[in-house]
């Protein structure tokens, strides 16, 4: 606890000194809040209704979800645009990112497995695509936006009001060069690794990056994963390259390896290329893109004709799992609980968002991937499905992320419905 408080004090002092003492409340809320000053006089934060027709309809739709015997899925919370989730380390709550302008604080106050309150977190700030949320080892909440990274000390204890302490890890416009900002593949995700560093995914902004961008993107870590100090952004370096749009990521608690999903190239047909689940074991690995997408060669195809003479990257690392094309695997997590049957413990759950340009549509499901004794992937199987209606071919939900609660249950976020579901096993 002393170490946490010392780090908090030092970080906030550094932030205050860096910004000076002349910030005017209402003019620059970030600078004001970095100095622990009041940015707003309205202390009331509206809450999202958790009952009524919408909640009832969501519960009714969940009756269509198929899972293995013994599992049950229920509505945990109504959370508009729910994307990636960060389970709080010390309280019965979580924070949820979106691709819009809100981070949600979701609280189960009476510990009954259903959220009692959903409201915006730090509404005094102007978030821009705050999709990625994750925790440092000592309980600081990191929010990775499209082109900025913020760190919130003690967020789970001081989220009740609109003004919260904040550390600016990466200033606006400094995560990637602003000329590469794009609405395409701009939602970041984050994780803090066993080394204490912050890992951030940087999807590249094209379907396939053109020839003149390949080397630049590799140097910057665009189409890769970068890592840095989660408090001041120092020591930034490119960890992995050769990706298209890495989304979900998680560290295997047994061996420290970093696993992540990667979305595939569009416009090459219904059956290719495959979706990917990859494993990073060390800095500097190249995962093949844009030459390879899985074991499918993209360079020289109709999606990348200017790459026809591209040289194959040396020692490219191929995926641990290749999923059916265009199902759009997003969030993933290792199951660290002990309430699911033994076969699931230590394995990986992967959320498939569902295709947007395949006919007929495919995906909108949860996969489970078991691991071998050596830590590599074994088998992949469908764990939960039914969000894609077989009768109409339309979506009744689109899973985004999966997260394990401290009680061993699992949460699934859905940005199409605007909800979080809770999966339990047994009674």
């Amino acid at each position: 606890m002393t170490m946490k408080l010392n780090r908090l004090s030092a970080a906030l002092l550094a932030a205050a000194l860096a910004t000076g003492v002349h910030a005017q409340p209402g003019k620059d809320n970030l600078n004001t809040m970095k100095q622990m000053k009041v940015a707003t006089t309205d202390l009331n934060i509206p809450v999202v209704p958790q009952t009524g027709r919408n909640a009832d309809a969501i519960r009714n739709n969940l009756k269509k979800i198929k899972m293995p015997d013994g599992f049950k899925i229920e509505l945990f919370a109504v959370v508009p645009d729910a994307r990636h989730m960060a389970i709080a380390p010390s309280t019965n709550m979580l924070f949820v990112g979106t691709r819009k302008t809100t981070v949600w604080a979701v609280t189960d106050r009476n510990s009954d497995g259903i959220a009692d309150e959903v409201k915006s977190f730090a509404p005094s700030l102007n978030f821009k695509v705050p999709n990625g949320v994750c925790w440092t080892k000592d309980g600081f909440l990191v929010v990775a936006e499209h082109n900025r990274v913020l760190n919130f000390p003690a967020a789970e204890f001081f989220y009740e009001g609109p003004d919260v302490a904040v550390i600016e890890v990466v200033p606006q416009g400094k995560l990637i060069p602003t000329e590469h900002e794009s609405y395409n593949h701009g939602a970041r995700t984050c994780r803090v690794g066993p080394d204490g560093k912050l890992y951030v995914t940087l999807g590249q902004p094209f379907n396939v990056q053109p020839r003149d961008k390949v080397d630049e993107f590799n140097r910057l870590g665009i189409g890769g994963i970068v890592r840095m100090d989660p408090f001041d952004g120092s020591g930034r370096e490119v960890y992995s390259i050769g990706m298209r749009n890495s989304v979900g990521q998680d560290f295997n608690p047994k061996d420290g390896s970093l696993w992540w999903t990667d979305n595939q190239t569009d416009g090459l047909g219904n059956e290719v290329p495959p979706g990917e689940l990859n494993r990073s074991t060390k800095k500097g690995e190249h995962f093949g893109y844009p030459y390879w997408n899985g074991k499918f060669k993209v360079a020289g195809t109709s999606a990348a004709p200017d790459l026809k003479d591209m040289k194959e990257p040396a020692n490219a690392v191929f995926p641990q799992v290749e999923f059916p094309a265009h199902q759009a695997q997003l969030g993933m997590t290792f199951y660290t609980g002990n309430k699911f049957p033994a076969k699931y413990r230590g394995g990986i759950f992967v959320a498939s968002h569902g295709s947007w340009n395949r006919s007929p549509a495919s995906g909108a499901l949860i996969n489970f991937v078991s691991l071998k004794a050596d830590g590599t992937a074994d088998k992949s199987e469908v764990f939960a499905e039914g969000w894609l209606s077989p009768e109409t071919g339309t979506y009744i939900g689109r899973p985004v992320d999966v997260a394990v609660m401290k009680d061993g249950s699992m949460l699934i976020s859905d940005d199409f419905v605007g909800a979080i579901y809770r999966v339990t096993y047994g009674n």
Side-chain angles (χ1 to χ4, degrees):
M1 177 60 73
T2 300
M3 181 178 296
K4 180 189 287 190
L5 291 175
N6 287 342
R7 178 163 245 174
L8 169 60
S9 299
L12 291 175
L13 177 60
L17 291 174
T19 57
V21 295
H22 301 294
Q24 298 179 20
K27 297 295 185 181
D28 187 341
N29 286 346
L30 176 62
N31 283 342
T32 300
M33 291 163 65
K34 283 165 63 175
Q35 299 173 68
M36 302 187 77
K37 292 183 178 181
V38 175
T40 181
T41 57
D42 186 356
L43 301 180
N44 297 306
I45 305 175
V47 297
V48 177
Q50 295 298 303
T51 59
R53 180 178 178 180
N54 181 47
D56 292 342
I58 295 172
R59 291 189 178 94
N60 189 57
N61 282 340
L62 289 178
K63 296 176 183 178
K64 302 175 184 178
I65 305 305
K66 299 177 181 179
M67 296 185 297
D69 291 343
F71 285 93
K72 180 171 62 175
I73 187 168
E74 300 174 289
L75 176 63
F76 178 75
V78 177
V79 184
D81 311 304
R83 293 280 293 182
H84 290 267
M85 300 176 286
I87 308 295
S90 302
T91 58
N92 207 8
M93 68 172 300
L94 65 147
F95 292 84
V96 184
T98 70
R99 288 198 302 182
K100 294 186 177 178
T101 58
T102 302
V103 175
W104 297 106
V106 180
T107 310
D108 177 8
R109 293 189 182 277
N110 58 13
S111 301
D112 66 349
I114 301 175
D116 305 293
E117 181 184 79
V118 176
K119 64 183 183 182
S120 60
F121 170 68
S124 294
L125 292 176
N126 296 318
F127 290 111
K128 296 179 180 178
V129 194
N131 181 75
V133 286
C134 58
W135 296 97
T136 68
K137 293 180 178 181
D138 41 7
F140 289 47
L141 177 69
V142 177
V143 175
E145 300 178 75
H146 184 189
N147 205 359
R148 180 174 70 172
V149 179
L150 301 178
N151 184 320
F152 297 90
E156 60 178 320
F157 298 104
F158 297 101
Y159 71 94
E160 297 288 7
D163 302 337
V164 294
V166 59
I167 302 166
E168 192 175 32
V169 181
V170 179
Q172 180 64 44
K174 299 299 182 180
L175 188 57
I176 62 170
T178 55
E179 62 266 27
H180 296 313
E181 289 183 357
S182 171
Y183 58 82
N184 197 36
H185 304 159
R188 317 302 180 194
T189 63
C190 64
R191 279 290 192 275
V192 174
D195 55 6
K197 294 182 180 180
L198 174 67
Y199 290 70
V200 180
T201 59
L202 300 178
Q204 60 89 6
F206 297 91
N207 182 29
V208 183
Q209 61 265 53
R211 175 184 292 274
D212 63 353
K213 299 295 183 183
V214 172
D215 290 342
E216 179 187 10
F217 282 6
N218 286 342
R219 176 176 55 82
L220 295 172
I222 297 176
I225 298 174
V226 297
R227 66 180 178 182
M228 66 193 75
D229 184 277
F231 296 92
D232 61 14
S234 63
R236 175 173 172 165
E237 59 184 353
V238 177
Y239 181 69
S240 297
I241 58 174
M243 311 170 193
R244 179 175 178 271
N245 181 35
S246 175
V247 186
Q249 56 172 329
D250 198 16
F251 287 90
N252 186 341
K254 291 185 177 180
D255 63 15
S257 58
L258 176 60
W259 293 65
W260 42 273
T261 59
D262 197 11
N263 291 173
Q264 61 274 76
T265 306
D266 296 312
L268 293 173
N270 277 349
E271 307 305 328
V272 292
E276 301 181 19
L277 179 64
N278 292 276
R279 180 180 186 236
S280 294
T281 58
K282 60 184 178 180
K283 175 188 172 184
E285 291 173 312
H286 193 303
F287 289 84
Y289 202 77
Y291 189 90
W292 295 110
N293 188 160
K295 294 180 181 178
F296 179 88
K297 184 180 175 182
V298 172
T301 65
S302 58
D306 66 327
L307 299 180
K308 64 180 180 179
D309 297 324
M310 181 182 182
K311 183 178 179 181
E312 179 181 352
N315 303 314
V317 180
F318 289 103
Q320 291 285 308
V321 176
E322 290 190 353
F323 296 104
H326 307 298
Q327 290 188 347
Q329 287 71 33
L330 300 185
M332 52 82 60
T333 190
F334 282 87
Y335 182 73
T336 55
N338 59 7
K339 296 300 175 63
F340 288 7
K343 67 170 286 186
Y344 297 103
R345 299 174 192 175
I348 303 170
F349 286 97
V350 183
S352 163
H353 200 218
S355 60
W356 67 269
N357 62 345
R358 187 185 190 278
S359 181
S362 177
L365 49 82
I366 305 296
N367 282 102
F368 174 73
V369 178
S370 57
L371 300 185
K372 299 177 183 178
D374 65 359
T376 59
D378 187 12
K379 300 176 181 178
S380 174
E381 62 187 55
V382 174
F383 172 77
E385 61 183 338
W387 286 283
L388 178 57
S389 172
E391 292 83 12
T392 65
T394 58
Y395 292 110
I396 62 171
R398 301 189 72 194
V400 174
D401 195 20
V402 280
V404 180
M405 296 284 276
K406 292 186 288 295
D407 65 1
S409 62
M410 184 174 71
L411 300 183
I412 301 171
S413 63
D414 182 332
D415 65 346
F416 179 74
V417 171
I420 294 176
Y421 315 122
R422 180 171 179 255
V423 176
T424 56
Y425 181 79
N427 296 329

